[in-house]
């Protein structure tokens, strides 16, 4: 019996090759796209899931507020908290602390710059166990560390690195105690080196136990099985009363909270996040888009099946006459659906394996290096395929069973629901069009918005880390700067601790203005800069001057941005220049404002502009040297590289253009824009197939009507307009339905940005116009053929 059912279904598919091929192509496109998107979504939602019992691991965040206003909401907490947790919270299985830094690594004649380091304490490896290949991860002693497999091969080749000494930055010796397997790309811990923070203690750069006042460390905890996060938070917050009484001096309150390990990958608006690069809302939208794209493919399948049910009506009646029941008909439709869906699924899997590398490269995704439970990808595929089989076969079976045994004309009752299916496809396609236009408009707006600074022709060079302990590094920098400024094509140069696109990690201070009695509960981000940084970035100097080029003359002098002077109570930039302000909690040394800079976007438009202060204190780490170039860029860059190598032979400059560096923070949005564009094109293509199926159905159903109209004098143009107007009505209704849906979805997505574009009317108009044009192109050819057909062909049997 089963053999007969599948044999009949196979013959039916072969009999209608044209429709079978279209259905197969549409389902293959839908399933392949869904497979790629599923792989990407599993990648995004699997971050850090490969660690042992990831559900027990949390990061400790802190929120400081006063009178209901949030002063600081960050992922970084005091280092003293680490010791309090370890000594006073037995419900913790382990806890660790971490600090991120980019370092220069040297070994013999090898120098590798910009290496990702995490400085950790001995409890960190218990929270995040590393898979050791050689040796062990020992952070209990100073000047020790572990290195990744890839980095070990790059530095030591095939030699065993355990016991060897590498130099970090200015030559700080670190003994390699072990080599760990490279961490997968789906983790927020991007380091290739883990080194003991006790090294800094030994160097007297930090104290033994830390303090409670500076929030500069990531604290992680691993709770024991059965321990509730709420109970842990309550115990953590008991430390506020016991150790952070200094907050009472300013009537402030603080609260610690636990953020699950699985949430650290998603942007949550918390300051100082590590590894947060993706919007959860965008992923949810992408899930919906992927599911809808697949649903469009299934709707296309049943639409085409419905369109040709009339052609099969005589065969279905014959089967009913010899005893076939509706259940038999459903069995055949189930077999047809299963065969074509299975073939499409197999083809999709083949394409998935062949194109996965291209997909990863096109969307700049490191999924090939991720630890992804790919079994879930195929579970999702099989589940969706079976759902599609049941959906499409049930619909097709219903369609076939509706054919009346003695209906000579093949009339099957109302056919309006076929129009609704196609309208649903068109509605989805229009929503995708509007969404795609909005996403690209937002991305273009962020990239083209006037930032308040000019990034074009600005080159960022990574500072010479090998000279951090050199007492003459300032003089070396000045020699380098003076030489390049004498070159043709170099306009200006400066050094900065952090360049635009980077949140100043080492400095946020609270400031007050006693002369006006103003002490705002606002954090000022503090950066270091040299004279020339205003000219290099072409900032808007509203009042005052830049730092002096005379060494030592800028002591206790600061530059401040426009938002900063407003917070300090000044009415104008001119009033602020020459005034003295103070850092709250400092020794009381006044800082003189010598210049006010117009507000600019130090980070992307996802964040608002915040108060900033610049000083000229020479930083312990060099940060960056920034150069504005002009003229022939390749020639100038070659000359700049030559001068750099002469002054800093042990350091890689790591040249990068400032505009490219700044736009990297929009990579996630750009990726989603590509996804939306790709899925929009697919959905439109599949929806066009659905309209094609519907027009075939309509022409077959109305061929006698068309013939009678032509016999009574209607011309081809009249017939073409009549047929096309039917489909334009469907597009019009779909457009009206799509408008509120698309507006709601995109308005919710835009809420993730501090600065966002509006939902412009032309986006909706353009989407509707494109949908109309696509519909006309899809149906006009078949309509034109029907309008020019000889009416005798339709009426000769009447």
């Amino acid at each position: 019996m089963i053999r007969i059912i599948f044999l009949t279904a196979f013959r039916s598919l072969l009999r209608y090759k044209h429709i079978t091929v279209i259905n197969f192509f549409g389902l293959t496109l839908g399933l392949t796209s869904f497979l790629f998107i599923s792989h990407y979504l599993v990648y995004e939602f699997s971050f850090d899931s490969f660690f042992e019992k990831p559900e027990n691991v949390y990061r400790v965040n802190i929120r400081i507020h006063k009178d209901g206003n949030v002063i600081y909401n960050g992922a970084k907490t005091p280092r003293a908290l680490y010791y309090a947790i370890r000594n006073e919270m037995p419900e913790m299985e382990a806890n660790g602390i971490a600090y991120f830094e980019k370092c220069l690594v040297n070994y013999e004649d090898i120098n590798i710059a910009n290496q990702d380091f995490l400085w950790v304490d001995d409890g960190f490896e218990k929270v995040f166990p590393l898979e050791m290949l050689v040796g062990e991860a020992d952070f209990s002693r100073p000047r020790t560390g572990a290195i990744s497999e890839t980095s070990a091969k790059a530095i030591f080749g095939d030699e065993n690195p355990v016991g060897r000494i590498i130099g970090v930055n200015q030559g700080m010796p670190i003994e390699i105690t072990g080599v760990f397997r490279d961490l997968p790309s789906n983790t927020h811990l991007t380091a290739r080196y883990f080194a003991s923070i006790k090294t800094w203690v030994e160097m007297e750069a930090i104290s033994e136990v830390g303090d409670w006042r500076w929030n500069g460390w990531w604290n992680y905890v691993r709770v024991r099985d059965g321990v509730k996060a709420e109970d842990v938070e309550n115990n953590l917050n008991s430390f506020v009363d016991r150790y952070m009484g200094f907050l009472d001096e300013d009537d402030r309150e603080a609260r610690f909270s636990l953020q699950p390990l699985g949430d650290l990958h998603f942007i949550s608006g918390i300051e100082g996040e590590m590894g947060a690069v993706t919007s959860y809302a965008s992923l949810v939208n992408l899930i919906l888009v992927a599911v809808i794209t697949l649903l469009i493919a299934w709707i296309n399948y049943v639409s085409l099946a419905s369109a040709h049910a009339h052609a099969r009506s005589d065969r279905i009646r014959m089967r009913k006459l010899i005893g076939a029941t509706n259940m038999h008909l459903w069995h055949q439709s189930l077999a047809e659906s299963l065969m074509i869906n299975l073939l499409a699924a197999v083809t999709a899997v083949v394409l998935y394996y062949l194109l996965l590398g291209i997909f990863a490269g096109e969307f700049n995704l490191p999924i090939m290096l991720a630890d992804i439970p790919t079994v879930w990808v195929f579970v999702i595929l099989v589940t969706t395929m079976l759902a599609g089989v049941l959906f499409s076969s049930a619909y097709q079976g219903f369609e076939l069973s509706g054919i009346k045994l003695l209906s000579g004309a093949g009339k099957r009752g109302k056919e309006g629901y076929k129009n609704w299916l196609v309208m649903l496809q068109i509605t989805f396609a229009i929503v995708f069009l509007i969404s795609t236009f909005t996403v690209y408009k937002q991305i273009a707006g962020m990239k083209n918005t006037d930032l308040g600074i000019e990034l074009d022709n600005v080159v960022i060079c990574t500072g010479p880390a090998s000279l951090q302990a050199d007492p003459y590094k300032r003089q070396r920098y000045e020699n380098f700067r003076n030489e390049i400024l004498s070159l043709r094509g170099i306009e200006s140069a400066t050094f900065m601790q952090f360049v635009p696109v980077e949140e100043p990690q080492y400095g946020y201070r609270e400031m007050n203005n006693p002369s006006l009695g103003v002490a705002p509960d606002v954090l000022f981000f503090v950066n270091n800069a040299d004279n020339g940084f205003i000219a290099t970035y072409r900032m808007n100097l509203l009042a005052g001057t830049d730092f002096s080029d005379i060494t030592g003359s800028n002591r206790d002098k600061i530059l401040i941005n426009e938002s900063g002077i407003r917070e300090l109570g000044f009415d104008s930039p001119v009033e602020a220049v020459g005034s003295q302000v103070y850092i709250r909690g400092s020794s009381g040394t006044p800082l003189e404002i010598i210049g006010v800079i117009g507000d600019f976007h130090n980070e992307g438009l996802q964040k608002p502009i915040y108060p900033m202060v610049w000083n000229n204190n020479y930083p312990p780490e060099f940060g960056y040297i920034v150069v504005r170039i002009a003229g022939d860029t390749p020639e100038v860059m070659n000359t700049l590289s030559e001068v750099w190598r002469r002054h800093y032979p042990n350091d890689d400059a790591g040249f990068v253009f400032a505009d490219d560096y700044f736009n990297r923070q929009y990579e996630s949005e750009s990726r989603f824009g590509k996804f939306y564009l790709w899925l929009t094109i697919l959905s439109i293509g599949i929806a066009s197939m659905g309209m094609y199926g519907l027009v075939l159905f309509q022409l077959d159903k109305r061929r006698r009507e068309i013939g009678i109209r032509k016999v009574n004098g209607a011309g081809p143009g009249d017939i073409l307009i009549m047929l096309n107007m039917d489909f334009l009505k469907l597009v019009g209704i779909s457009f009206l339905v799509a408008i509120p849906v698309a507006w709601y979805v995109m308005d919710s997505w835009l809420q993730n940005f501090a600065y966002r574009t509006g939902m412009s009317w032309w986006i909706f108009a353009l989407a509707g116009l494109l949908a109309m044009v696509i519909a006309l192109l899809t149906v006009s050819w078949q309509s034109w053929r029907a309008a020019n057909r000889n009416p005798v062909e339709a009426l000769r049997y009447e």
Side-chain angles (χ1 to χ4, degrees):
M1 182 65 181
I2 296 178
R3 177 178 175 275
I4 295 175
I5 291 175
F6 276 95
L7 183 60
T8 304
F10 180 72
R11 289 173 177 173
S12 178
L13 292 176
L14 289 180
R15 185 180 303 277
Y16 304 103
K17 298 182 183 67
H18 183 59
I19 297 302
T20 301
V21 169
I22 294 177
N23 269 330
F24 166 74
F25 186 68
L27 287 172
T28 300
L29 284 179
L31 287 171
T32 304
S33 302
F34 189 77
L35 198 56
F36 279 124
I37 298 301
S38 296
H39 189 121
Y40 169 68
L41 291 171
V42 170
Y43 163 77
E44 292 286 7
F45 285 111
S46 67
F47 262 63
D48 296 308
S49 62
F50 56 86
F51 286 113
E52 180 184 354
K53 295 182 179 179
E55 67 278 3
N56 288 2
V57 179
Y58 300 85
R59 185 181 65 197
V60 183
N61 299 334
I62 188 172
R63 184 184 182 96
I64 302 175
H65 52 91
K66 177 181 179 180
D67 299 330
N69 297 319
V70 177
I71 299 172
Y72 176 72
N73 182 26
K76 294 184 178 181
T77 47
R79 183 163 175 259
L81 177 65
Y82 166 76
Y83 296 98
I85 293 174
R86 186 176 67 175
N87 297 327
E88 303 180 37
M89 297 186 66
E91 66 268 33
M92 298 297 183
E93 182 177 314
N95 70 299
I97 196 168
Y99 187 93
F100 179 81
E101 186 182 17
K102 282 189 174 291
C103 299
L104 171 71
V105 174
N106 54 76
Y107 177 75
E108 295 179 348
D109 59 345
I110 298 175
N111 292 281
I112 307 177
N114 294 319
Q115 297 300 288
D116 293 341
F117 265 72
L118 268 183
W119 297 91
V120 300
D121 222 312
D122 51 348
F124 188 86
E125 203 273 337
K126 296 176 179 137
V127 179
F128 298 104
L130 300 173
E131 184 180 350
M132 303 305 297
L133 302 176
V134 180
E136 61 180 352
D138 181 11
F139 308 122
S140 63
R141 300 179 288 119
R143 303 184 185 274
T144 58
I147 186 173
S148 69
E149 180 182 12
T150 298
S151 298
K153 289 181 179 179
I155 298 174
F156 302 101
D158 296 329
E159 297 179 12
N160 184 356
V162 175
R164 308 230 175 217
I165 307 296
I166 61 172
V168 178
N169 290 342
Q170 67 271 36
M172 180 192 308
I174 297 293
E175 177 190 351
I176 303 299
T177 63
V179 178
F180 61 88
R181 189 179 301 279
D182 289 354
L183 290 172
S185 61
N186 53 329
T187 176
H188 80 291
L189 302 174
T190 58
R192 294 190 173 187
Y193 303 79
F194 292 86
S196 172
I197 195 63
K198 288 182 171 59
T199 307
W200 291 13
V201 175
E202 184 183 73
M203 296 173 59
E204 299 183 352
I206 58 176
S207 66
E208 175 67 32
V209 296
D211 62 59
W212 288 93
R213 290 181 177 269
W214 187 56
N215 300 316
W217 306 82
W218 290 296
N219 268 290
Y220 297 92
V221 298
R222 177 181 288 276
V223 303
R224 299 187 186 279
D225 292 338
V227 175
K228 295 182 179 179
E230 297 81 4
D231 296 335
V232 175
E233 288 183 348
N234 291 334
N235 291 339
L236 285 172
N237 286 302
S238 68
F239 296 149
V240 176
D241 296 330
R242 279 187 277 168
Y243 302 115
M244 302 178 71
F246 55 87
L247 293 172
D248 296 336
E249 300 171 6
D250 294 317
D251 297 325
R252 298 182 179 184
E253 297 178 356
R255 181 167 180 82
F256 293 112
S257 62
L258 297 182
Q259 186 172 4
L261 179 62
D263 291 348
L264 301 188
H265 177 58
F266 305 111
I267 298 171
S268 56
I270 297 175
E271 295 178 29
E273 291 179 305
M274 176 171 62
V277 296
T278 301
S279 166
Y280 188 88
S282 295
L283 290 178
V284 172
N285 285 343
L286 190 59
I287 292 174
L288 294 176
V289 170
V291 171
I292 291 173
T293 303
L294 190 57
L295 182 61
I296 289 175
W298 288 334
I299 292 175
N300 176 73
Y301 176 88
V302 297
S303 294
L304 289 173
S306 298
H308 278 258
H310 181 70
R312 304 169 60 183
S313 58
D314 291 340
R315 293 180 177 274
I316 298 301
R317 292 190 192 93
M318 183 62 67
R319 292 190 62 187
K320 285 189 173 185
L321 282 172
I322 61 177
T325 65
N326 289 337
M327 182 59 68
H328 292 136
L329 298 178
W330 181 73
H331 285 162
Q332 180 180 342
S333 66
L334 177 63
E336 292 179 11
S337 181
L338 181 60
M339 293 173 67
I340 197 168
N341 273 274
L342 184 60
L343 181 61
V346 171
T347 307
V349 171
V350 172
L351 292 174
Y352 163 77
Y353 277 112
L354 292 176
L355 302 177
L356 184 58
I358 298 175
F359 169 79
E362 178 65 24
F363 290 92
N364 194 24
L365 290 169
I367 55 178
M368 308 299 288
L369 303 175
D371 184 352
I372 300 177
T374 51
V375 62
W376 285 107
V377 177
F378 293 100
V379 167
I380 293 172
L381 175 65
V382 172
T383 302
T384 53
M385 188 196 74
L386 292 178
V389 168
L390 292 176
F391 168 73
S392 53
S393 64
Y395 186 95
Q396 186 180 3
F398 171 78
E399 182 74 19
L400 296 177
S401 64
I403 298 177
K404 304 301 181 181
L405 182 61
L406 301 177
S407 177
K411 185 177 180 180
R412 298 179 304 281
K414 295 183 179 180
E415 306 289 349
Y417 55 86
K418 295 184 178 62
N419 292 344
W420 285 106
L421 287 175
V422 175
M423 283 171 54
L424 188 61
Q425 287 181 301
I426 299 172
T427 299
F428 287 146
I430 295 174
V431 171
F432 289 172
L433 279 171
I434 295 172
S435 300
T436 302
F437 291 152
T438 304
V439 170
Y440 273 93
K441 182 171 179 282
Q442 175 66 21
I443 295 172
M446 291 191 296
K447 290 184 176 180
N448 299 323
T449 294
D450 182 7
L451 300 174
I453 54 176
E454 294 186 19
L455 301 179
D456 295 341
N457 298 322
V458 174
V459 180
I460 298 174
C461 318
T462 303
S466 66
L467 301 179
Q468 285 185 14
D470 188 343
Y472 301 103
K473 69 174 182 175
R474 172 74 191 209
Q475 185 60 48
R476 293 178 186 273
Y477 157 70
E478 291 179 351
N479 293 339
F480 168 77
R481 183 188 60 182
N482 292 337
E483 180 173 350
I484 63 174
L485 288 178
S486 66
L487 300 175
R488 181 181 178 183
I490 304 293
E491 294 186 358
S492 59
T494 188
F495 82 73
M496 298 186 72
Q497 181 81 46
F498 300 98
V499 294
V501 77
E502 296 181 328
E503 176 188 292
Q505 297 179 22
Y506 302 155
Y508 54 86
R509 298 289 186 269
E510 294 181 66
M511 309 191 71
N512 57 36
N513 181 10
S515 63
L516 297 178
V518 176
D521 293 310
V522 175
L523 294 179
F524 287 70
F525 285 88
V526 180
N527 202 348
N528 302 106
D530 195 20
N531 65 294
F533 96 103
I534 293 179
T536 301
Y537 280 103
R538 293 182 179 173
M539 298 175 175
N540 183 16
L541 184 62
L542 302 178
T545 63
D546 195 354
F547 291 119
S548 170
D549 58 357
I550 301 174
T551 302
S553 63
N554 299 312
R555 185 179 180 82
D556 298 329
K557 291 180 171 60
I558 61 171
L559 298 171
I560 189 170
N561 69 345
E562 197 174 357
S563 293
I565 66 168
R566 283 197 298 267
E567 294 292 347
L568 291 172
F570 295 109
D571 293 329
S572 67
V574 175
E575 179 189 358
V577 172
S579 300
Q580 292 184 335
V581 296
Y582 295 80
I583 295 177
R584 296 172 68 174
S586 67
S587 59
T589 303
L591 302 175
E592 180 186 354
I593 298 175
I594 64 171
V596 178
I597 299 172
D599 280 341
F600 67 91
H601 293 278
N602 189 65
E603 297 184 68
L605 272 70
Q606 298 95 329
K607 293 186 176 182
I609 294 174
Y610 39 72
M612 292 192 69
V613 169
W614 294 264
N615 60 48
N616 191 234
N617 302 334
Y618 205 70
E621 299 88 10
F622 214 116
Y624 301 92
I625 296 175
V626 187
V627 181
R628 175 168 287 279
I629 65 175
D632 183 14
T633 300
E635 179 181 348
V636 173
M637 291 299 295
N638 290 335
T639 304
L640 182 61
S641 298
E642 293 175 4
V643 177
W644 180 277
R645 286 192 294 269
R646 189 162 57 251
H647 285 268
Y648 304 117
N650 296 324
D651 295 272
D652 182 7
F655 293 132
V656 61
F657 281 95
D659 51 354
D660 293 335
Y661 192 43
F662 192 89
N663 287 332
R664 286 179 187 176
Q665 63 194 315
Y666 301 138
E667 183 176 340
S668 178
E669 287 77 16
S670 298
R671 181 182 300 126
F672 281 111
K674 285 185 178 181
F675 278 136
Y676 276 112
L677 178 60
W678 175 31
L679 293 175
T680 297
I681 293 174
L682 286 177
S683 67
I684 290 174
I686 297 172
S688 298
M689 295 180 190
M691 284 190 287
Y692 177 78
L694 183 60
V695 73
L696 291 179
F697 167 76
Q698 293 288 356
L699 292 176
D700 183 55
K701 188 174 116 175
R702 303 177 67 178
R703 65 182 185 274
R704 296 176 182 82
E705 176 190 350
I706 293 171
I708 293 172
R709 287 179 179 272
K710 293 194 69 175
V711 168
N712 285 279
D718 299 322
I719 302 298
L720 187 64
I721 292 174
M722 178 193 70
L723 295 174
N724 283 352
M725 284 301 297
D726 290 342
F727 286 93
L728 290 181
K729 290 177 184 177
L730 298 181
V731 174
I733 297 173
S734 300
F735 176 67
L736 294 177
V737 175
I739 288 176
V741 175
W743 183 90
Y744 175 79
V745 172
M746 284 294 99
D747 185 68
S748 300
W749 180 77
L750 289 172
Q751 300 305 314
N752 295 311
F753 302 91
Y755 300 90
R756 46 187 174 269
T757 60
M759 296 290 291
S760 303
W761 65 268
W762 63 264
I763 290 179
F764 295 90
L766 180 60
L769 180 62
L770 281 176
M772 183 181 68
V773 170
I774 293 170
L776 288 174
L777 292 176
T778 302
V779 304
S780 291
W781 171 242
Q782 291 295 333
S783 299
W784 177 258
R785 290 182 61 189
N788 285 276
R789 188 174 294 126
N790 191 332
V792 173
E793 296 178 13
L795 301 176
R796 59 186 171 184
Y797 296 114
E798 298 298 319

